[in-house]
């Protein structure tokens, strides 16, 4: 406790402490309120907000990984059969998924949901992604991978230059 008392003593004897002592009680109250609000905003922007954003990003990543894990579990036998036997024009959706996710990783996109469709396409859901990254990703898939966008629905996101939407890609 002596260290804290010595720091307070030095603060009171310093120029800031002397300036504070000359203020009226109402001015002191205002100074305390402003200092408290400033401290609260620093704590919020420096600690709380980054931790909260990180937690939200990790939750979204968890949901994406869980969806993929569930899809793999549901289609485990079909995946085993497809690795043993060469594909004979059946469903091309499992072959599309790695190229779609690789292109998304190259463009720093987080795909919330990938769902193969019965006609060989893949339905993809995006949440709060940068618009320019989505366009680059779709361009990459069309030019380099030879995929086509069959259906596209994009809505403006909550933040500037962010979009959410659904895409159906086919080979």
């Amino acid at each position: 406790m002596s260290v804290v008392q010595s720091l307070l003593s030095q603060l009171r004897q310093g120029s800031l402490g002397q300036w504070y002592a000359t203020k009226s009680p109402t001015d002191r109250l205002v100074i305390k309120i402003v200092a408290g609000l400033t401290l609260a905003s620093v704590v919020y922007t420096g600690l709380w907000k980054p931790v909260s954003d990180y937690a939200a990003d990790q939750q979204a990543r968890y949901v994406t990984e869980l969806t993929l894990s569930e899809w793999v579990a549901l289609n485990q036998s079909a995946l085993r059969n497809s690795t043993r036997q060469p594909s004979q024009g059946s469903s091309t959706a499992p072959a599309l998924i790695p190229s779609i996710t690789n292109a998304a990783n190259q463009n720093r996109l987080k795909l919330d949901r990938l769902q193969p469709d019965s006609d060989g396409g893949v339905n993809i859901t995006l949440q709060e992604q940068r618009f320019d990254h989505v366009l680059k990703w779709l361009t990459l898939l069309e030019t380099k991978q030879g995929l086509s966008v069959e259906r596209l629905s994009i809505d403006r996101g909550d933040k500037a230059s962010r979009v959410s939407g659904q895409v159906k890609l086919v080979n």
Side-chain angles (χ1 to χ4, degrees), residues 20-95:
Y20 182 74
T22 63
K23 300 299 176 189
S24 68
T26 55
D27 287 345
R28 289 181 187 176
L29 178 63
V30 170
I31 291 169
K32 288 178 184 177
I33 291 172
V34 168
L37 289 174
T38 302
L39 179 64
S41 66
V42 166
V43 167
Y44 176 76
T45 57
L47 294 174
W48 184 263
K49 185 69 173 146
V51 169
S52 174
D53 290 347
Y54 178 77
D57 289 345
Q58 292 304 312
Q59 180 66 26
R61 183 176 176 197
Y62 170 76
V63 168
T64 303
E65 297 296 329
L66 183 63
T67 304
L68 180 60
S69 173
E70 289 172 349
W71 181 84
V72 167
L74 289 173
N75 296 300
Q76 191 173 17
S77 63
L79 289 172
R80 281 191 187 133
N81 291 338
S82 69
T83 58
R84 289 183 193 148
Q85 303 169 356
S87 176
Q88 297 171 347
S90 57
S91 174
T92 58

Side-chain angles (χ1 to χ4, degrees), residues 44-142:
Y44 176 76
T45 57
L47 294 174
W48 184 263
K49 185 69 173 146
V51 169
S52 174
D53 290 347
Y54 178 77
D57 289 345
Q58 292 304 312
Q59 180 66 26
R61 183 176 176 197
Y62 170 76
V63 168
T64 303
E65 297 296 329
L66 183 63
T67 304
L68 180 60
S69 173
E70 289 172 349
W71 181 84
V72 167
L74 289 173
N75 296 300
Q76 191 173 17
S77 63
L79 289 172
R80 281 191 187 133
N81 291 338
S82 69
T83 58
R84 289 183 193 148
Q85 303 169 356
S87 176
Q88 297 171 347
S90 57
S91 174
T92 58
L96 295 178
I97 291 176
S99 60
I100 291 170
T101 55
N102 288 338
N105 290 337
Q106 288 176 1
N107 288 288
R108 297 182 303 247
L109 280 179
K110 294 179 184 170
L111 305 178
D112 285 342
R113 183 174 177 159
L114 284 122
Q115 182 176 2
D117 207 11
S118 60
D119 63 357
V122 177
N123 292 311
I124 303 154
T125 303
L126 304 165
Q127 293 291 327
E128 292 296 321
Q129 299 297 314
R130 290 182 51 95
F131 181 68
D132 56 337
H133 291 174
V134 173
L135 286 180
K136 288 178 186 175
W137 172 64
L138 290 173
T139 303
L140 176 69
L141 288 173
E142 284 189 337

Side-chain angles (χ1 to χ4, degrees), residues 144-165:
K144 305 261 179 172
Q145 309 286 338
L147 301 178
S148 301
V149 176
E150 185 173 293
R151 184 179 69 244
L152 176 64
S153 169
I154 294 181
D155 297 318
R156 182 175 58 196
D158 294 337
K159 298 178 185 175
S161 76
R162 300 284 181 161
V163 294
S164 297

